[in-house]
Amino acid sequence: MIIKDEIHGNIEFTELEKGIIDTEEFQRLRRIKQLAMTNLVYPSATHTRFEHAIGTLHLSSLICEKLGINGEEKEKIRLYALLHDIGHVAFSHETEKILSNVMGSHEFIGAKKITDTEIADVIGAQYEPEEIIEISKKPFGQIVSSDIGSDRMDYLQRDAHNTGVAYGIIDIDRIIHTVFFEDGILGIKNSGLEAAESLLIGRFLMFSTVYMHPTVRIASAMLQSALLFAIDSGDIQPEEVLNLSDDEVLMRLISSRNENAGIMGRRLIKRDLMKVAYSFELSPETEEKIEELELAAAETAPETILDMPVQISKPVSIMVKTENEMKKLDELSELVNSLKYAEEKRKKVLVLCNRENREDVSRISKEIMQEE
Amino acid sequence: MIIKDEIHGNIEFTELEKGIIDTEEFQRLRRIKQLAMTNLVYPSATHTRFEHAIGTLHLSSLICEKLGINGEEKEKIRLYALLHDIGHVAFSHETEKILSNVMGSHEFIGAKKITDTEIADVIGAQYEPEEIIEISKKPFGQIVSSDIGSDRMDYLQRDAHNTGVAYGIIDIDRIIHTVFFEDGILGIKNSGLEAAESLLIGRFLMFSTVYMHPTVRIASAMLQSALLFAIDSGDIQPEEVLNLSDDEVLMRLISSRNENAGIMGRRLIKRDLMKVAYSFELSPETEEKIEELELAAAETAPETILDMPVQISKPVSIMVKTENEMKKLDELSELVNSLKYAEEKRKKVLVLCNRENREDVSRISKEIMQEE
Amino acid sequence: MIIKDEIHGNIEFTELEKGIIDTEEFQRLRRIKQLAMTNLVYPSATHTRFEHAIGTLHLSSLICEKLGINGEEKEKIRLYALLHDIGHVAFSHETEKILSNVMGSHEFIGAKKITDTEIADVIGAQYEPEEIIEISKKPFGQIVSSDIGSDRMDYLQRDAHNTGVAYGIIDIDRIIHTVFFEDGILGIKNSGLEAAESLLIGRFLMFSTVYMHPTVRIASAMLQSALLFAIDSGDIQPEEVLNLSDDEVLMRLISSRNENAGIMGRRLIKRDLMKVAYSFELSPETEEKIEELELAAAETAPETILDMPVQISKPVSIMVKTENEMKKLDELSELVNSLKYAEEKRKKVLVLCNRENREDVSRISKEIMQEE
Amino acid sequence: MIIKDEIHGNIEFTELEKGIIDTEEFQRLRRIKQLAMTNLVYPSATHTRFEHAIGTLHLSSLICEKLGINGEEKEKIRLYALLHDIGHVAFSHETEKILSNVMGSHEFIGAKKITDTEIADVIGAQYEPEEIIEISKKPFGQIVSSDIGSDRMDYLQRDAHNTGVAYGIIDIDRIIHTVFFEDGILGIKNSGLEAAESLLIGRFLMFSTVYMHPTVRIASAMLQSALLFAIDSGDIQPEEVLNLSDDEVLMRLISSRNENAGIMGRRLIKRDLMKVAYSFELSPETEEKIEELELAAAETAPETILDMPVQISKPVSIMVKTENEMKKLDELSELVNSLKYAEEKRKKVLVLCNRENREDVSRISKEIMQEE
């Protein structure tokens, strides 16, 4: 089977892979957008996790070929790549925040889908489903999941292509040409230094213009709020979320008997979004005042939401092999180092409220946050 | 307001246009895919009518600038372009076939949406809504709707970009540089002959590899069949369709009380598609046997569908201005002429049935269609 | 060694191939433009035979991989691809017309360069130079030289990219995915039909907008005329041409002691080109009058040149494998068939003269050619 | 007149501009590569100053339109853009180093070409040639020559496209959409911050992978050395250089009676390049030892060249307009700030010598530079 992808062109699949793609579980990914509500800002960003999954398989395969990994090993890595996001549900980012304690992380859900659904049967013809999941914990898992892995390379390029932002920035071709695998570490040769930098620059630009775009954050915050209302009121059961598509979630919200969930849902459908009344950098100093700000703002405008910036847990870590030694990329590259600071600087807390309360909330926020 | 589009880059809008885009009616287009079920074959084809509408406005504007059309005239043409597809509902192609007698064509629906919804209020601040609709009947309507109009140029390029098929084939830049408007006719100068050809070649290639792709036709036929069951059984009211999104339609089908609608809907969700048992060109000779074929096939496999090729009503008509005269493009270009024949040749009737009956239906079809 | 190419990205070479690229003979290709004087019309068309040679190697290699050709066989095909144009001299097209009787065709020259220069020594470390030349006569030679071979695919795509014309039209990826090799024939599977068509469409568009562009033909005719003067007067020796670059040829012309060669050369440098006074299709009828036209025009304007259209000797021939049989592409595709006619229609004889005589020559031409 | 450019598509010219392009002076730019010897590393980098000049005109025009600059003002800016590099001679970078004291900077030469050649006559039909030159000193000159000007935007994008490196990185569309002109300053609005960053990132990546590529620096150093020999020996007269093309300079070198010039020239033609024996960062500490190193290396390998990194004179300076104030981009962007440091870090002194002396020179260099 061949699928034509807008990014990588024709991608070939084995019979087994075709079997997995044909399952209902996998087809579900067609109805889950890679970038959730981002299309409210970049209308072309309608690409799905389905596309990303097959693109990740493709890039993983190219890395395997470069590293000389063949046969069963390669096949299992391809399968892992294909299934690495199978645990993602609609609006993963928002639902995980709310539901991860109930239903587990998307990795946990993914593992269960691989072992407990028809996907297990398909894989079972050739491998133990567990063998595929285990790749994630083995050194070869880096081919998919590390900072120079296929997952990141595919989604950055795909998101760039579909938003129209900074497309072509990442020199994937070159990265794949310069990867090495040694002592259990997937890294990049010195000759690929600029290509690795291009990846992190691409990531930074996507981060600051797309992933952290204020309007995207607003829509995301509103969605999370609506979901909370709907789940708390029992209108949506946590386990249901596992099988809903993006649009089904939205429709469940707008038809919710919970008034708040309904209103928020309808506003999202109409793109009637909340506004940023104020924003500030997170620091020990500002953090202290957050509670006071929340209370004061809620009094003026009960709908106020303080949207916290994403905390990226793991710092980027790419090993570079120079003539004599291995070094971390951020030790070698001033540029990469500074991207970290630049990224931190752009992480702001947003104070959101309805249009009609914007002025008041803005004034109150200034009073509290700017006082000596 | 500026929107970043994956095809045309940054597109600017006036306050009035922003007002229209912000209506619920217009936002609805975000949830209607330009190519309906085509993403079952080309997974990246998830672009929407929303994007196409803003792209059409953009190209219309460029043509106006080239022709020296300014001020109110240009503004109205932009508005018409923005709204030219507002009457499209989910799965327009299929629903129109079934419901056009009840709810009218998409042009009719569109006109009503422009005059009877909040869109009318927004336009009303500056123009009569009817003024916008009338553009379609005036010579300047060709800027949007003719064979070298913005509508076609945008969707061909956008569909190519999103399927990964033959992207870049159409020299839009050149077409816009060589358009002229004279005596009520929008045409192209002789120096744009090859560019006009490129448009028709692009159209032909998209037609034969995407729009008429057998699997796309199968999904479309199954959807139409499911819709018919659901509407006939009263499970979906025709007028409801006006406001549903693609995904809502699919969900209504899978939860339909009508068993046939439900089964078909679920099969579409799972991408468990019917198969082509036989295909043949439409000719006076073959047309005679169609009824016999339908009866015989239905006896063996009651689910059998005979999917007829699209009948493109209007032949392409582009005027080219040479030194001394105006000529039709197909008189000047052997190539364009032959594309017509080539297109006809590829229009086939498909006999569809379930996988398990494929062999039988194939045999019966051959017996009937190939007998002397 | 890796070379970064603007079309194919990173291309890898073996030590042996690097050795060949490093020879003076091969480096010479850096100074020979792929499209000769075409940059006078499309200024970006400055790409060279060097780039084309490495691109052809790259695509040949991809076809080999698809066909499962490995080891020495593949290595020899790569070498043949790399060297397939080594016999090209500056302005091959024009010089071959004049000098082929003296110095042989570019294939003949190429063979001699492979066996008699330092290239032979480099190849000799592993193969007999003759083994490489022989590939051209063997079935596998089609991988490089047939209508779906790497040579054509590379130059069409490269020329399109560098002129800015119709880039992306050719679906190379798909062609390579659908080639087969059977009974000594390299062909394309039925599933690649549209891709093969895309190749011929691309070829047609490049042909009619670039290769046959009147101004390109004018520059080419002037160059040929200047070369003839310089060689006839002994100012350039035929065998010298083998080692000159494009710019060296031009400089030899402008410093020629032959006045006519000098004038023509300087005019080319200044882009002071002749004009088209008249043009007509070649037919048995018009052919009869050519001599008369030449005489009459020469009397009015002695510089007059009748530039004949290129006669493409071999018709396109691509084999397509359907379920049961092999067919020629032009039997299967109305489109391809009609491209042939369209191409013929565009082949015109151009009557060229200096600007100041244009009117007179135009009048005389009309009188002769349009009389009953 | 319309010219099709590989980067910007169709570009239109006025009659006056066409007149300038048709002069011999301007046509000369067709034979001067934008990136000099860079094609020895990136073979596709054969684009010329001719293309860059017309691209710069095009982008300047777009900026004018955005700023509402029309009529004569715009025409003069277009002319200035078209002619901004007319003073560049073959291998400007190298020849300026050697000859600028004799023939002046390329700006000085350019001004003379505008006032003293046929270009003056063409301009004279409408403007005083001096009026065009003066633009460079006026505020509107920033449209072409500032850090967000058309010159830089065009060459970065063009160089990226033709090397295949990091293409698409720069969001030109967005930069043009967000420029402003106020109080004599051309700057960028806050909403274009990321776009401005993209420009500087693109510049950094081109700088470190292309412009400062060691092999490019080697070829450049060899060329400069050969030129020095040829000029010192009187074989090339400084004023001749003004009218030679790239290839003419190379041919003059290889046919020079000065042995050293001849050898170096032939080595460049054959791509038989010197090697890097050692490299080090420039610092007060290392600078002290340079003389000692030069002497010691010259004793071992008289051909040794110490190639100094380019000293970029002016730091980047882009003004950004936020809600209340104007700020320098590097005050607003950590990223831009750090690019400066990263760039400095990559500037190294290269110690070059012939292959056979590499080991010795390397050893000596280490001894001298690494001693305590």
Side-chain angles (χ1 to χ4, degrees), chain C residues 63-87:
Chain C
I63 298 175
C64 285
E65 279 158 33
K66 181 66 199 170
L67 298 177
I69 300 170
N70 290 308
E72 288 214 347
E73 202 64 53
K74 181 178 166 190
E75 277 178 39
K76 287 194 283 184
I77 293 167
R78 283 173 63 104
L79 290 175
Y80 169 56
L82 187 64
L83 291 166
H84 82 284
D85 269 356
I86 193 73

Side-chain angles (χ1 to χ4, degrees), chain A residues 166-169 194 197 201 204-205 208-209 333-335 338-339 341-342 345-346, chain D residues 166-169 194 197 201 204-205 208-209 333-335 338-339 341-342 345-346:
Chain A
Y167 182 54
I169 208 168
E194 282 89 4
E197 287 180 339
I201 292 168
F204 172 77
L205 288 179
S208 58
T209 60
S333 166
E334 278 285 332
L335 178 62
S338 67
L339 284 171
Y341 293 111
K345 279 279 179 199
R346 300 217 176 150
Chain D
Y167 183 55
I169 208 167
E194 281 89 5
E197 287 180 339
I201 293 168
F204 173 77
L205 287 180
S208 58
T209 60
S333 166
E334 278 283 333
L335 179 62
S338 66
L339 283 172
Y341 294 110
K345 279 280 181 199
R346 300 219 176 150

Side-chain angles (χ1 to χ4, degrees), chain B residues 164-169 171 193-194 197-198 201 204-205 208-209 332-335 338-339 341-342 345-346, chain C residues 164-169 171 193-194 197-198 201 204-205 208-209 332-335 338-339 341-342 345-346:
Chain B
V165 171
Y167 182 55
I169 208 167
D171 195 349
L193 184 70
E194 282 90 4
E197 287 180 338
S198 81
I201 292 168
F204 172 77
L205 287 179
S208 57
T209 60
L332 283 167
S333 166
E334 278 283 333
L335 179 63
S338 66
L339 284 171
Y341 294 111
K345 280 279 179 199
R346 301 218 176 151
Chain C
V165 171
Y167 183 54
I169 208 168
D171 195 348
L193 185 70
E194 281 89 4
E197 287 180 338
S198 81
I201 292 167
F204 172 77
L205 287 179
S208 58
T209 59
L332 283 166
S333 166
E334 278 284 334
L335 178 63
S338 67
L339 283 172
Y341 293 111
K345 280 279 179 200
R346 299 216 177 152

Side-chain angles (χ1 to χ4, degrees), chain B residues 286-344:
Chain B
T286 57
E287 227 167 337
E288 265 180 22
K289 297 180 183 171
I290 284 182
E291 207 167 334
E292 183 188 354
L293 176 60
E294 278 186 311
L295 288 170
E299 223 163 286
T300 312
E303 79 278 8
T304 302
I305 297 175
L306 258 74
D307 188 58
M308 307 301 285
V310 183
Q311 291 307 331
I312 292 169
S313 42
K314 273 194 311 182
V316 168
S317 158
I318 298 176
M319 295 307 292
V320 180
K321 192 166 135 191
T322 64
E323 251 167 277
N324 327 298
E325 43 181 353
M326 284 235 240
K327 281 201 162 178
K328 287 196 179 165
L329 177 58
D330 48 5
E331 288 171 31
L332 283 167
S333 166
E334 278 283 333
L335 179 63
V336 169
N337 229 327
S338 66
L339 284 171
K340 278 195 256 175
Y341 294 111
E343 212 171 286
E344 281 307 317

Side-chain angles (χ1 to χ4, degrees), chain B residues 19-254:
Chain B
I20 292 173
I21 292 172
D22 282 349
T23 63
E24 191 166 353
E25 268 302 342
F26 197 89
Q27 291 290 322
R28 181 184 59 90
L29 299 179
R30 286 186 191 275
R31 286 178 295 282
I32 299 182
K33 291 193 196 69
Q34 181 74 15
L35 290 185
M37 305 298 281
T38 303
N39 72 93
L40 289 186
V41 179
Y42 294 94
S44 318
T46 57
H47 54 300
T48 69
R49 294 205 181 271
F50 183 91
E51 298 160 65
H52 168 56
I54 63 173
T56 304
L57 172 146
H58 176 71
L59 290 180
S60 304
S61 205
L62 293 182
I63 298 174
C64 285
E65 279 159 34
K66 180 67 199 173
L67 297 177
I69 300 170
N70 290 308
E72 288 213 347
E73 201 64 53
K74 180 179 165 188
E75 277 177 38
K76 288 194 282 186
I77 293 168
R78 282 174 62 104
L79 289 175
Y80 169 55
L82 187 64
L83 290 166
H84 81 284
D85 269 356
I86 193 72
H88 271 299
V89 303
F91 305 114
S92 280
H93 192 67
E94 290 76 18
T95 43
E96 268 199 28
K97 278 192 192 161
I98 305 173
L99 298 175
S100 62
N101 56 334
V102 186
M103 57 183 203
S105 69
H106 73 264
E107 289 90 353
F108 177 82
I109 302 171
K112 261 180 37 187
K113 295 213 172 196
I114 292 172
T115 54
D116 297 2
T117 70
E118 50 171 335
I119 291 174
D121 303 333
V122 181
I123 296 176
Q126 220 165 319
Y127 303 104
E128 292 300 316
E130 286 75 14
E131 288 180 87
I132 307 307
I133 299 167
E134 275 160 18
I135 299 281
S136 71
K137 291 157 207 150
K138 291 194 175 164
F140 280 163
Q142 298 169 75
I143 289 169
V144 177
S145 308
S146 69
D147 285 321
I148 50 167
S150 53
D151 177 22
R152 172 160 298 181
M153 285 201 284
D154 185 81
Y155 78 68
L156 283 177
Q157 203 181 15
R158 197 171 294 279
D159 294 350
H161 182 79
N162 281 282
T163 52
V165 171
Y167 182 55
I169 208 167
I170 305 168
D171 195 349
I172 286 187
D173 195 23
R174 181 87 187 168
I175 293 173
I176 292 175
H177 261 87
T178 55
V179 292
F180 72 90
F181 187 83
E182 230 177 81
D183 304 330
I185 289 172
L186 182 77
I188 207 152
K189 287 178 214 154
N190 202 26
S191 58
L193 184 70
E194 282 90 4
E197 287 180 338
S198 81
L199 187 75
L200 295 172
I201 292 168
R203 186 174 163 278
F204 172 77
L205 287 179
M206 290 307 289
F207 175 86
S208 57
T209 60
V210 177
Y211 305 146
M212 297 280 284
H213 191 291
T215 313
V216 172
R217 286 179 60 185
I218 292 171
S220 172
M222 289 173 70
L223 181 73
Q224 193 180 326
S225 156
L227 271 169
L228 260 176
F229 283 123
I231 287 172
D232 285 353
S233 69
D235 239 30
I236 297 182
Q237 299 303 319
E239 53 279 8
E240 281 181 297
V241 174
L242 291 180
N243 295 309
L244 296 177
S245 72
D246 285 1
D247 269 23
E248 281 174 300
V249 167
L250 286 174
M251 274 169 277
R252 291 292 291 270
L253 291 177
I254 60 178

